[in-house]
Amino acid sequence: MDEMTSVTVDDLASAHDQFRSERVNIVAKNAVSSNGITAAARVPEGVAANALTFDVEVKQGDRCDQQRSGRCWMFASLNTMRYRVIHRYDLKTFELSQTYPLFWDKLEKSNWFFENILDTLDEPLDGRLVSYLLMAPVGDGGQWDMFRSLVKKYGVVPKEAMPETACSRNTREMDSCLTRYLRGAAKRLRQSHEAGVCREDLEEMKKEMMGDVYHLLATCLGEPPASFEVRLRDKNDKLALSGTYTPQEFFASVVDMNVDDYVSLISAPTVDKPFGHTYTVSRLGNVVEDGGVRYLNLPIERLKECAVAQLRDNLPVWFGCDVGQSYLREEGIMDTAALDVDALFGFEVEGCMDRAERLDYGESLMTHAMVLEGVNLDAEGHPTLWKVENSWGADHGRNGFDTLSDPWFNEYVYQVVVDKKYLSDEERATYETEEPTVLAPWDPMGSLARAR
């Protein structure tokens, strides 16, 4: 390394004089130090452009609340599915259990983790790969493809059949205990391998460990029901559905959604991910026999076109984004025009990198999944504003809804899940037949699955 340069007294004096020379800097200092950056940078004219009225809109039930957990991808997925039940049976509202898939996801992720540990027994413990695997083996996050795998194997149940528990509402303690157990189990597997234990015996050890995982999860979440009774009443209080179902039967006959028809489109304009090709993320998944994730990378305009087409067909759209950027959280507004941080500081802060550069330099990644449920269109049919159902309860935003401006979509939406019928023939063929490029486990396109 070349000789490092220190900050001198003259440097500090120059910076001080320059800061004090402009009155606007003093005004900004007083505003920010008293109210914070977001409040001081808030642009009322930008906020005013985010009214909750839409040209195309699907109507959902009551808002759901993931509370103190990282289950956004599950809530978003279940919100697209419960919508079908609400409209099919003319219900006022309805909710599918979010605890039920949480149980199976933690169980399957534990098995996925063990399989990865067994696959990397000869890798160095302090190498990047094993260190990465040990960093967060069973975080709450996930991807649409992972949820699809869960419902295909385990089905879904109404919320009453497996309600929330203290550990599903706030997953931190459960995750901490399970993570510690899995790391200890990984240590035992690696040490046994070093001692010469054969693979067959290591597999037997893993089976015993999975029994412990089930025990821990059942203690925290309760055991998932093998079958349950359900009675649903419509808006007129007439019995719309009754019977006894297994979770798989309920998903097949009541939700009635062919999840294999839905594909993940991403838009990552980085050099390592040319548009028009498929990608997967190494070692990202949960259900071993169903494989990992699969994305088709397209320009952002194609993601919007497919999302609008699905909304026009009266179906909501699952999407992933970087929710913390240019976000007025309390008001539920994601809009680059509603906050002007660069004007506040007098130089480029938010504007110092473009979309691709933010991905490359670690400034942006997918952090949250929600559901698009409405859109406004200009005279040419181009979107201007999107309606978003969040999963932070009815007290968030405006009765649980957010708005997302189209310029914000351009900058911070990275994924949508749509029926493959909205793809062109060429796009569909590429998604279904092309061997995907394998991205590194820590690629930003896999970050949503690493969220707490």
Side-chain angles (χ1 to χ4, degrees):
M1 181 181 291
D2 295 335
E3 184 177 349
M4 300 177 73
T5 304
S6 62
V7 178
T8 67
V9 172
D10 288 343
D11 292 334
L12 296 174
S14 176
H16 169 77
D17 292 343
Q18 184 177 358
F19 181 79
R20 301 291 298 186
S21 67
E22 296 288 341
R23 175 178 173 273
V24 67
N25 295 337
I26 307 305
V27 175
K29 170 181 69 70
N30 294 342
V32 172
S33 61
S34 299
N35 302 290
I37 294 172
T38 298
R42 182 180 181 274
V43 180
E45 294 84 358
V47 172
N50 284 266
L52 274 174
T53 52
F54 294 90
D55 300 326
V56 180
E57 186 174 10
V58 298
K59 296 293 186 180
Q60 184 64 285
D62 296 338
R63 305 290 73 69
C64 301
D65 191 351
Q66 68 185 77
Q67 301 187 61
R68 299 180 67 182
S69 72
R71 296 175 289 167
C72 62
W73 62 292
M74 289 184 175
F75 274 73
S77 301
L78 290 168
N79 282 342
T80 65
M81 293 176 182
R82 74 178 180 128
Y83 176 84
R84 295 168 177 265
V85 180
I86 289 171
H87 284 262
R88 182 177 184 184
Y89 295 97
D90 196 28
L91 309 178
K92 180 179 179 182
T93 191
F94 175 73
E95 207 166 332
L96 291 162
S97 171
Q98 301 92 1
T99 307
Y100 181 78
L102 177 67
F103 182 99
W104 295 120
D105 181 58
K106 296 293 184 185
L107 187 84
E108 292 286 353
K109 277 179 180 169
S110 297
N111 184 62
W112 183 278
F113 171 74
F114 286 139
E115 288 299 310
N116 276 284
I117 292 299
L118 291 172
D119 188 52
T120 57
L121 291 172
D122 295 319
E123 294 283 337
L125 181 61
D126 60 353
R128 185 172 187 182
L129 178 56
V130 176
S131 296
Y132 175 82
L133 294 174
L134 293 170
M135 182 174 62
V138 285
D140 286 357
Q143 265 290 343
W144 163 259
D145 286 3
M146 295 163 67
F147 194 83
R148 179 183 61 200
S149 297
L150 290 174
V151 299
K152 286 171 66 176
K153 185 171 183 176
Y154 296 107
V156 296
V157 305
K159 189 158 191 171
E160 294 78 7
M162 192 169 181
E164 296 286 288
T165 73
C167 292
S168 66
R169 288 190 293 266
N170 185 346
T171 56
R172 188 174 298 278
E173 285 186 330
M174 178 182 69
D175 285 352
S176 178
C177 288
L178 182 55
T179 296
R180 184 162 184 161
Y181 176 81
L182 293 178
R183 287 171 177 160
K187 177 205 71 171
R188 287 155 50 201
L189 290 171
R190 288 179 63 90
Q191 289 179 345
S192 298
H193 171 68
E194 291 169 3
V197 174
C198 68
R199 181 61 181 248
E200 184 177 336
D201 289 342
L202 291 176
E203 291 285 356
E204 286 301 314
M205 289 176 63
K206 191 202 89 166
K207 288 183 180 180
E208 294 180 8
M209 293 167 178
M210 285 300 297
D212 290 341
V213 170
Y214 186 98
H215 183 132
L216 189 154
L217 293 172
T219 302
C220 294
L221 302 173
E223 289 194 90
S227 63
F228 54 90
E229 291 186 5
V230 62
R231 291 174 180 81
L232 301 180
R233 291 189 173 274
D234 64 19
K235 293 176 181 177
N236 298 315
D237 203 32
K238 292 182 180 179
L239 193 63
L241 178 71
S242 66
T244 301
Y245 296 86
T246 67
Q248 294 87 347
E249 290 169 345
F250 190 80
F251 180 72
S253 63
V254 177
V255 177
D256 190 25
M257 178 181 181
N258 185 358
V259 289
D260 286 330
D261 283 343
Y262 286 80
V263 299
S264 289
L265 308 181
I266 60 169
S267 188
T270 49
V271 173
D272 63 323
K273 302 180 187 72
F275 288 139
H277 295 283
T278 59
Y279 299 88
T280 187
V281 180
S282 176
R283 303 189 186 274
L284 176 60
N286 51 4
V287 180
V288 168
E289 63 268 30
D290 206 37
V293 301
R294 188 183 188 91
Y295 306 136
L296 175 61
N297 193 25
L298 297 174
I300 194 68
E301 292 303 321
R302 283 296 293 137
L303 270 64
K304 289 191 260 186
E305 288 167 1
C306 291
V308 170
Q310 187 159 302
L311 287 171
R312 285 188 180 277
D313 284 343
N314 202 36
L315 287 172
V317 178
W318 189 108
F319 77 103
C321 66
D322 188 356
V323 75
Q325 306 274 8
S326 297
Y327 187 28
L328 291 169
R329 179 171 177 141
E330 296 302 317
E331 297 173 88
I333 294 174
M334 290 167 273
D335 190 345
T336 54
L339 283 170
D340 196 347
V341 173
D342 292 356
L344 182 66
F345 287 112
F347 52 88
E348 287 191 338
V349 177
E350 290 196 335
C352 66
M353 289 180 281
D354 64 23
R355 180 182 175 96
E357 291 164 344
R358 287 192 296 270
L359 290 171
D360 282 338
Y361 283 85
E363 170 54 27
S364 188
L365 39 72
M366 277 194 282
T367 59
H368 194 45
M370 297 177 283
V371 181
L372 296 171
E373 294 185 355
V375 63
N376 281 341
L377 305 168
D378 64 17
E380 287 74 40
H382 300 132
T384 59
L385 186 71
W386 303 78
K387 181 182 180 182
V388 175
E389 182 182 12
N390 209 329
S391 53
W392 293 344
D395 293 337
H396 164 75
R398 288 156 284 177
N399 189 33
F401 289 109
D402 292 347
T403 51
L404 185 162
S405 74
D406 199 61
W408 197 96
F409 197 117
N410 290 337
E411 298 298 328
Y412 301 116
V413 171
Y414 293 112
Q415 180 182 6
V416 300
V417 174
V418 296
D419 192 310
K420 60 187 177 183
K421 70 182 181 181
Y422 301 114
L423 302 180
S424 68
D425 291 343
E426 181 180 1
E427 291 166 345
R428 194 178 309 111
T430 299
Y431 179 86
E432 293 176 344
T433 64
E434 184 180 80
E435 185 69 23
T437 298
V438 180
L439 304 174
W442 38 85
D443 190 273
M445 290 301 103
S447 61
L448 186 60
R450 299 191 290 270
R452 177 191 168 272

